[in-house]
Amino acid sequence: MLSDTSKQRVEWGIVALVAMITLILLPWFNTFSEDSALYVSSFQLRVWGKYLCFAVLAMSLNLLWGYTGLLCLGQNLFFALGGYALGMHMMLMIGPDPVYNSPLPDFMDFQGYADLPAHWVPFESFPFAAFAIIWVPGLLAFIFGFLAFRSRIKGVYFSILTQALTYAACSLFFRNEFTFGGNNGFTDFKTLLGADLRSEATTRTIFMCSAVLMIGVYLFIGWLLKTKFGKVQQAVRDSENRVRFSGYSTTSFKLFIFTLCGIIAALAGALYVPQVGAINPSLMRTSYGLDIVVWVAVGGRGTKYGPVIGAILVNLLQSYCTRHFADYWMIILGALFLIVVLFMPNGIVGLPAQFRALREKWTKRQNETIEPATETP
């Protein structure tokens, strides 16, 4: 068994290794010639950047579910809202359409809009769009959380309510008259802050921003859990009534964490969109919210790096299965979740401890069977 100091050294070593790979090696390999064996294409870099955003999304749910005991089935809603906020700015930066000869987004030209809707106008400014990535999902999370936690809604009822909220938002965004592109959403982005999104330099920069966000969120969660706030937060998960009787306002703690996790998910969604090149309401579908739960469960709920491992591994598995076993992916995902629930309650991260406990149990049983045979009359 490693001591706490040794565990911290190992953890910091892993963080340093991940930082070196994501911030130095992969972007550097992207600058090699295509004939080089170490060359990493822009497409591969965007795919891995997308996985890093998924890892941040999984960490946001884990902070809420694993450390606070609140299972949110609508974390993808905040992820999508962050993407839509930045996507609105990028849509306005595309320029005049060659067919309609209009500066309006294509779907607005098609629907017969003559002027830009009033709520779109501020998004011509990047600072406003960047701030909207934070305040739009943050405000929604605050209002919903305030109403839910004030009414003492928790457990499965809270999960159902978050799923209902996501379903309602998804249905709303699918409507063409809602002015957010309807079923097709936003696509065909050209630039971000004047940089060509198709250039390798821009791809490297956004990938590195995703890596910085993932590492930053990881370090922030690690710091938060060591504070008094983090201790109370975990106590709320273990026994909310006891915390309330101790004089703490559990409603305030849960509301702060729920709002914070919504903002973290939105930041991940904002970096996800320019790397994928599109966003539509399918990101808000309720089944996608359940996928995030699977990522966290597979990696290890209530651990700092388990959700990162789970999000990346499950999405790698999905990428492989959709190419070779497309018709069976949902069955494979369901089977994976059942295996985790039945045999891996602590996820992949908990496997070493499980194997160690089994080995100790086996050794103890062996000693109990050997001792009677060695006794002398």
Side-chain angles (χ1 to χ4, degrees), residues 68-90:
T68 318
L70 298 171
L71 176 57
C72 175
L73 298 181
Q75 203 68 7
N76 55 316
L77 170 60
F78 306 114
F79 183 79
L81 289 177
Y84 266 98
L86 184 62
M88 291 172 70
H89 172 73
M90 291 191 292

Side-chain angles (χ1 to χ4, degrees), residues 308-325:
V308 177
I309 295 174
I312 294 176
L313 288 184
V314 173
N315 279 281
L316 282 173
L317 178 63
Q318 180 179 2
S319 178
Y320 175 82
C321 291
T322 49
R323 289 198 306 267
H324 298 87
F325 313 103

Side-chain angles (χ1 to χ4, degrees), residues 46 60 196 285 289 326 329:
R46 283 192 290 269
S60 72
D196 185 3
R285 68 186 189 275
W329 164 241

Side-chain angles (χ1 to χ4, degrees), residues 291-303:
D291 289 347
I292 306 169
V293 174
V294 175
W295 301 347
V296 176
V298 169
R301 179 172 70 96
T303 61

